[in-house]
Amino acid sequence: MKRYVNVENAGMVFTTRQGEFIALRDIDLTIERGEFITLIGHSGCGKSTLLNLIAGLLLPSSGHLFCAEREIAGPGPERAVVFQNHSLLPWMTCFDNIYLGVERVFGDTEDKAKLRQRTLDALALVHLSHAEKKYPHEISGGMKQRVGIARALAMQPKVLLMDEPFGALDALTRAHLQDELMKIVAATQSTVVMVTHDVDEAVLLSDRIVMMTNGPAATIGEILSVDLPKPRNRLALANNPHYHQLRGAVLEFLYQKQAHKEAA
């Protein structure tokens, strides 16, 4: 296993009208190639801030972050982000939304035929070949998220970063996209870091679950290895004692942090 992301003693401080706000402190995390990592914790614990640091959308106030042995100094095509809001351009078709990202990454080195094929391959990967000419307003919320995932994967990133990508979807659509994501990650061997509030989602998808302490000055409280065999089937896991043991461990951590928060 090759290290793809390394976070070394990272901290993040924001300047506000009330003074300095310490969002994160002492973050140390190593993510191996092909790992699926989820970040979980109560609201305000800095999950999205840590994701944005890895994305290069924020630069740390202290410490260092690396991707593929190079220091992260800003956004880059080796790190693609999928947000809760699909962020599709409404005046472009599904094909064109993906092609735009592909052209930006590979336009200087590949001809238009190769760029088009990359785009079509990405649509096929998320089972949306039939929707290539449709506009965002013509497709469902789940399909929009699949286009967003396809756009990210089409750029062949070293790391796929996902900030609650299924949080705004209904339960059935969410479950379907979780299953699709597991298949896509297995096919592409992608390295994934995903923010979630959903304990079941974290256990179903993850190789490791990074549990954050409460903010301010949040840090990593525990890291849980999810040693369930792959591929995973949600129906089979429903009766798996070890699945429930892992789920209980995450819930216990969250309940303890909630009790501490209420007592403070």
Side-chain angles (χ1 to χ4, degrees):
M1 297 287 281
K2 182 179 178 181
R3 182 178 70 180
Y4 253 39
V5 176
N6 196 40
V7 184
E8 297 180 354
N9 197 33
M12 189 69 212
V13 180
F14 294 102
T15 301
T16 71
R17 291 182 179 180
Q18 289 74 38
E20 289 190 341
F21 176 80
I22 303 173
L24 294 172
R25 63 173 178 83
D26 306 328
I27 301 293
D28 289 294
L29 178 64
T30 297
I31 300 169
E32 304 293 342
R33 179 179 180 179
E35 268 199 301
F36 197 122
I37 301 291
T38 51
L39 308 176
I40 199 167
H42 293 291
S43 296
C45 72
K47 303 182 296 295
S48 293
T49 300
L50 178 53
L51 195 81
N52 287 335
L53 286 170
I54 297 172
L57 299 174
L58 294 173
L59 296 179
S61 304
S62 58
H64 303 275
L65 292 93
F66 301 88
C67 179
E69 308 300 333
R70 298 183 64 178
E71 187 161 12
I72 297 172
E78 75 280 2
R79 288 160 284 124
V81 186
V82 178
F83 297 102
Q84 183 171 339
N85 181 340
H86 52 79
S87 302
L88 301 182
L89 299 175
W91 60 88
M92 287 188 170
T93 63
C94 294
F95 177 93
D96 289 335
N97 266 284
I98 297 170
Y99 186 89
L100 186 67
V102 170
E103 186 178 41
R104 184 169 184 179
V105 175
F106 300 106
D108 292 337
T109 58
E110 296 183 355
D111 60 31
K112 289 187 177 181
K114 287 185 177 180
L115 299 179
R116 175 176 171 77
Q117 191 57 53
R118 282 186 182 275
T119 304
L120 292 174
D121 289 345
L123 279 165
L125 191 63
V126 297
H127 307 293
L128 283 177
S129 297
H130 64 283
E132 67 169 289
K133 295 181 180 179
K134 291 186 178 293
Y135 290 87
H137 72 272
E138 297 178 307
I139 60 177
S140 68
M143 291 172 72
K144 291 173 187 174
Q145 279 302 77
R146 281 155 66 188
V147 175
I149 293 169
R151 180 177 55 189
L153 291 172
M155 295 184 284
Q156 294 188 339
K158 291 182 172 66
V159 183
L160 181 62
L161 303 167
M162 311 182 81
D163 195 351
E164 294 195 76
F166 311 137
L169 304 176
D170 65 85
L172 288 177
T173 303
R174 184 182 188 123
H176 174 69
L177 287 186
Q178 289 167 349
D179 292 340
E180 287 298 317
L181 181 61
M182 284 191 286
K183 294 175 185 176
I184 290 167
V185 170
T188 60
Q189 295 296 298
S190 300
T191 304
V192 184
V193 184
M194 178 175 174
V195 169
T196 183
H197 278 100
D198 188 318
V199 174
D200 291 299
E201 181 171 80
V203 178
L204 175 68
L205 299 177
S206 303
D207 294 307
R208 289 187 296 157
I209 301 172
V210 176
M211 296 178 277
M212 307 287 292
T213 63
N214 295 338
T219 191
I220 295 173
E222 295 181 25
I223 298 179
L224 179 70
S225 293
V226 182
D227 52 352
L228 295 167
K230 293 182 177 181
R232 295 174 186 166
N233 180 293
R234 68 176 64 248
L235 296 179
L237 289 176
N239 297 312
N240 184 317
H242 189 46
Y243 169 84
H244 290 284
Q245 181 183 14
L246 293 166
R247 184 177 183 273
V250 180
L251 286 172
E252 182 179 4
F253 176 88
L254 294 174
Y255 284 145
Q256 287 178 347
K257 295 306 173 188
Q258 182 63 31
H260 183 267
K261 186 177 181 180
E262 292 173 352

